[in-house]
Amino acid sequence: YTCSSHKLDEDMRLQFLKNDSVTCNDGSPAGYYIRESKSSKRWLLLLEGGWYCFSKHSCDYRMKTTRALMSSSPWPQTRKGTGILSPKPEENPYWWNANMVFLPYCSSDLWSGTKPKTEDSGYAFMGSLIIKEVVNELLSKGLDKAKVLLLAGISAGGVGVLVNVDRVEEQLRSQGHQGVQVRGLSDSGWILQTEQYKQGDCTHVLSCGPNDMVKIGFRYWGAAVPEVCRQSYIGAEWNCFFGPIIYPTIKSPTFVVRWLFDQAQMTISNVDMTGGVITEGQWNYIAVFAPACLAHELITRTYWMSVQVGGTSLPKALHCWERSLQDKNGSVRSCPLHLVDHCLWLNCNPTCPDIYDQPTGRE
Ligand code: K4Q
């Protein structure tokens, strides 16, 4: 065959859902892109990202600016799989031969919604039902014989993984497909509930802090979060969108990928870094002291000044932090606040405390 036909069959092809009551925001049918690999029993389902909207105003604006994130009508017939979706071993040494399924994000609800479009609301929010229906329709394409289903997702899709991975597992098990091992891979969906660097109102999607945003969205989307997490947050179920809260409740093995200084986290924390430019006040807001030690507690230890990251101890870092809070714009450049170990094994930092010197907790 020619190079171009070879290239073509590497592309993923669009398939609209057979059940057309499961829709994008505007009522158009949701769907997925698929590249089958008959010789493989591995299935990768990847949830796309792209923020969200949580009000008539913000969704109308989203419709005008990024329609493909709310409607399937502008979707192309094929898409190229890149990175973990690539069928080329040189681009994807991990899973190049797997069955690849890309789920475009068109529900604007962090893949959590269960609400069909009604006359008055104007938009549907069915993210969670889209995943369910895609899994259901893939069963007849060989997913029923799979060994592993990896539910992956990026940014908003990474939140979608945390919120949906156990539901997918339960869906397969209840239909008798317990032979399929369900796993999660969440990329950049681990968001912290920080106070904003600068208080923002909630009129825009991006100026709204993490908690306010999710509180509003949860109701607007008719969000479904996992039962176990919901039970422990009755009346405040929106907390279950956040990694540190939902993760301990997830049963399926789930791998979390996250940049130390995540841009989406910075954006919703109102740390404006347009053009990669950041002020000293903003940089100090994201201070961190993280030595690679097997240990617990530090600040009341007698040796707390001897643990160092890159030559800086915690008392020194705290001193720097105080200075940075006093003179927001003063120069504290030689006073470090971002201290993360580079070595990777337990106690690879030579200043780690001796574990035999640590109290056991029973003393
Ligand atoms: C608590 C939920 C916060 C979710 C943040 C999602 C961020 C996102 C889009 C990406 C490009 N930068 O979806 O980012 O498409």
Side-chain angles (χ1 to χ4, degrees):
Y1 44 70
T2 64
C3 286
S4 58
S5 73
H6 179 70
K7 262 185 117 175
L8 240 174
D9 80 26
E10 287 183 355
D11 286 348
M12 298 183 290
R13 291 202 70 81
L14 176 59
Q15 174 75 58
F16 288 113
L17 292 181
K18 297 208 175 82
N19 179 349
D20 64 8
S21 68
V22 178
T23 72
C24 297
N25 291 132
D26 70 341
S28 60
Y32 57 91
Y33 289 83
I34 183 166
R35 180 188 173 276
E36 285 173 78
S37 177
K38 301 270 189 222
S39 63
S40 172
K41 286 187 185 300
R42 298 173 185 202
W43 286 76
L44 173 63
L45 273 61
L46 190 129
L47 310 179
E48 188 187 21
W51 299 105
Y52 36 77
C53 62
F54 51 50
S55 59
K56 170 137 176 58
H57 178 77
S58 63
C59 292
D60 287 350
Y61 180 76
R62 184 175 169 92
M63 195 61 154
K64 273 193 229 128
T65 51
T66 46
R67 182 149 166 266
L69 287 172
M70 301 182 77
S71 171
S72 61
S73 37
W75 293 355
Q77 270 308 307
T78 63
R79 283 188 71 121
K80 285 227 169 337
T82 53
I84 200 171
L85 285 171
S86 169
K88 302 181 207 144
E90 65 274 21
E91 183 173 343
N92 185 11
Y94 174 57
W95 261 32
W96 59 272
N97 193 36
N99 295 275
M100 307 293 190
V101 182
F102 176 82
L103 283 71
Y105 181 40
C106 68
S107 53
S108 313
D109 57 356
L110 299 173
W111 292 94
S112 69
T114 59
K115 235 162 85 174
K117 184 177 164 180
T118 54
E119 308 271 287
D120 50 310
S121 72
Y123 294 112
F125 298 96
M126 308 184 81
S128 179
L129 300 175
I130 293 171
I131 296 174
K132 186 176 174 192
E133 184 57 25
V134 170
V135 167
N136 204 32
E137 296 192 13
L138 289 175
L139 285 171
S140 60
K141 292 192 188 273
L143 180 64
D144 56 333
K145 311 231 164 45
K147 217 181 123 200
V148 181
L149 186 170
L150 181 60
L151 184 67
I154 48 177
S155 55
V159 181
V161 169
L162 301 175
V163 173
N164 289 285
V165 67
D166 276 356
R167 229 191 322 260
V168 169
E169 204 282 330
E170 165 62 24
Q171 180 187 354
L172 289 175
R173 194 156 38 81
S174 71
Q175 295 185 43
H177 304 295
Q178 49 276 94
V180 186
Q181 297 175 43
V182 177
R183 298 172 191 160
L185 171 58
S186 169
D187 177 1
S188 307
W190 185 279
I191 302 295
L192 304 175
Q193 297 172 283
T194 48
E195 280 297 322
Q196 291 181 299
Y197 173 66
K198 260 208 191 102
Q199 205 67 39
D201 52 17
C202 229
T203 53
H204 287 100
V205 165
L206 298 183
S207 66
C208 195
N211 284 325
D212 292 341
M213 175 295 269
V214 151
K215 254 185 242 179
I216 299 170
F218 191 90
R219 294 193 52 172
Y220 196 64
W221 306 324
V225 292
E227 190 57 19
V228 206
C229 189
R230 210 176 59 79
Q231 298 257 324
S232 25
Y233 286 88
I234 306 246
E237 294 88 350
W238 52 269
N239 280 285
C240 298
F241 278 113
F242 296 98
I245 287 178
I246 192 172
Y247 190 80
T249 75
I250 297 177
K251 291 197 213 76
S252 312
T254 297
F255 196 112
V256 173
V257 180
R258 204 248 197 230
W259 297 108
L260 189 52
F261 307 117
D262 181 85
Q263 278 179 322
Q265 176 83 62
M266 293 309 144
T267 302
I268 58 181
S269 304
N270 247 349
V271 180
D272 174 26
M273 299 173 303
T274 329
V277 186
I278 185 167
T279 67
E280 202 149 326
Q282 291 170 326
W283 181 230
N284 292 335
Y285 164 82
I286 50 182
V288 53
F289 185 82
C293 304
L294 172 63
H296 184 67
E297 305 183 21
L298 179 57
I299 63 175
T300 57
R301 299 293 187 225
T302 52
Y303 53 75
W304 76 305
M305 74 288 258
S306 47
V307 178
Q308 299 179 355
V309 175
T312 302
S313 67
L314 184 57
K316 172 89 186 288
L318 289 173
H319 165 80
C320 295
W321 179 53
E322 197 169 300
R323 267 180 56 185
S324 79
L325 292 172
Q326 269 156 16
D327 54 323
K328 281 232 171 204
N329 300 307
S331 184
V332 281
R333 232 156 243 137
S334 59
C335 215
L337 278 173
H338 301 86
L339 302 156
V340 181
D341 256 333
H342 298 289
C343 66
L344 296 175
W345 187 238
L346 301 176
N347 296 330
C348 54
N349 176 331
T351 70
C352 283
D354 184 335
I355 55 168
Y356 299 107
D357 289 345
Q358 292 177 30
T360 59
R362 260 174 279 144
E363 285 143 297

